[in-house]
Amino acid sequence: EYSAGWNALKKTVRDRANGVCEVCGKTHKLMDVHHLIPVRLKNDITVTNHIDNLQYLCRPCHIDADKILRGGYPHQKDLIVADAEQDVQ
């Protein structure tokens, strides 16, 4: 867990996005809250968990965002992408 209030913060981010991906505008069965400045790069949780540093993303967009941050090496398995590409809507 990123902090004691992480679950409430995730809900706030989801509500702000109206439940749709803030990049592609779609709803998928796997949705995530993404840190624009990753937790691993900044030791100050008040910066990384600030509402302006968080995006609500579908799993494919989240994996793409992490690929960019990690120089092409995502932390998710490619199989998850195939699963997540199934739109709920």
Side-chain angles (χ1 to χ4, degrees), residues 34-50:
H34 171 66
H35 290 84
L36 296 168
I37 300 171
V39 173
R40 71 183 184 286
L41 297 181
K42 185 78 173 171
N43 289 330
D44 186 351
I45 201 74
T46 62
V47 172
T48 56
N49 278 359
H50 190 276

Side-chain angles (χ1 to χ4, degrees), residues 12-69:
T12 299
V13 173
R14 183 185 68 229
D15 291 349
R16 177 190 68 195
N18 295 314
V20 299
C21 178
E22 292 185 278
V23 171
C24 71
K26 295 181 181 178
T27 301
H28 295 266
K29 64 181 175 179
L30 298 174
M31 301 293 288
D32 300 313
V33 173
H34 171 66
H35 290 84
L36 296 168
I37 300 171
V39 173
R40 71 183 184 286
L41 297 181
K42 185 78 173 171
N43 289 330
D44 186 351
I45 201 74
T46 62
V47 172
T48 56
N49 278 359
H50 190 276
I51 191 75
D52 293 335
N53 188 53
L54 301 171
Q55 284 184 306
Y56 194 63
L57 303 180
C58 65
R59 186 62 56 87
C61 287
H62 191 195
I63 290 172
D64 286 345
D66 279 350
K67 281 181 181 178
I68 293 166
L69 289 172

